Amino acid sequence: MEAVAALGVVAAAIQFLEFSKNEPWAPVLSHQRFLTFAAQHGLWFYVQRQLESEPSLGLRQESEPPLLAYPIWANQDLNYVTRPTEGTIKTIQVILSVSADPNECFFGHSVWQYWLTIVHAARHGEIMVDDYKSLQRITIYMLEAVLI
C-alpha cells in the first residue's frame, strides 16, 4: 500500500513539474506548494504524511486559499461536478482531521460556504452531478468537523 501511494506521489510530482514548466501560466503555478497540488489531486497519503510530520503546513498561506479548498474545488467546473474520487474524499477527511476549519474565510467566503453553494446548485439542477452520494459523504465530514 505504501509503495503504491509513494509511486503515485512521484508520478504526480513529475506531472506537476512538467506541467508548471511547459505552460504559459508557469509563474503562477510555481508559487503553488506541492502540498496544495497533492490535495487537489487526491494524494491523501502524501498529504497525511506531510501534515503528521509538520502540522503547520496545513495552515493557510497569506495569499492562497486554505488547504481544504483545493480538494473541494478539484472536481468541478462552472457547469458540472464530477464524482469525487476516493482519494479526494480521503484527502478531505485527512485535512479535516488535523483541525482544518471549514469556516475559515478567504476571498470573502468560507470553504463551507463554497461547498454549500455547490450542493445547492446541484440540488436545484444548476450544475450536473455524477454522484450525489459522494456529495453527501463530503457534507457529513465537513459537518462533523464543524460540530466537534
Side-chain angles (χ1 to χ4, degrees):
M1 172 70 174
E2 287 186 22
V4 172
L7 286 174
V9 170
V10 169
I14 291 168
Q15 178 187 5
F16 176 75
L17 292 173
E18 288 299 313
F19 180 73
S20 63
K21 76 178 182 185
N22 292 326
E23 297 299 333
W25 49 84
V28 175
L29 280 177
S30 65
H31 291 86
Q32 183 184 28
R33 298 178 298 157
F34 184 73
L35 182 61
T36 60
F37 179 83
Q40 189 171 9
H41 290 84
L43 300 172
W44 67 269
F45 188 81
Y46 177 81
V47 173
Q48 184 176 36
R49 284 272 174 110
Q50 293 301 305
L51 293 178
E52 285 175 351
S53 67
E54 193 173 337
S56 66
L57 288 174
L59 298 176
R60 183 171 166 222
Q61 301 298 309
E62 177 94 15
S63 62
E64 60 182 53
L67 188 59
L68 182 60
Y70 290 91
I72 295 294
W73 290 340
N75 297 298
Q76 65 165 328
D77 63 23
L78 294 176
N79 300 310
Y80 191 73
V81 175
T82 60
R83 180 177 188 208
T85 65
E86 283 302 313
T88 299
I89 293 170
K90 181 69 175 170
T91 300
I92 291 168
Q93 283 182 290
V94 165
I95 294 169
L96 289 169
S97 73
V98 294
S99 302
D101 182 6
N103 289 315
E104 182 179 2
C105 285
F106 67 103
F107 304 134
H109 302 285
S110 69
V111 177
W112 185 237
Q113 287 173 301
Y114 284 112
W115 180 250
L116 290 179
T117 301
I118 293 168
V119 172
H120 177 78
R123 172 73 174 94
H124 292 286
E126 295 169 18
I127 57 174
M128 295 178 59
V129 177
D130 269 355
D131 180 27
Y132 284 100
K133 289 192 184 285
S134 294
L135 297 183
Q136 290 171 344
R137 286 175 58 199
I138 293 169
T139 303
I140 289 169
Y141 297 142
M142 290 184 62
L143 277 171
E144 288 172 346
V146 171
L147 297 175
I148 293 178

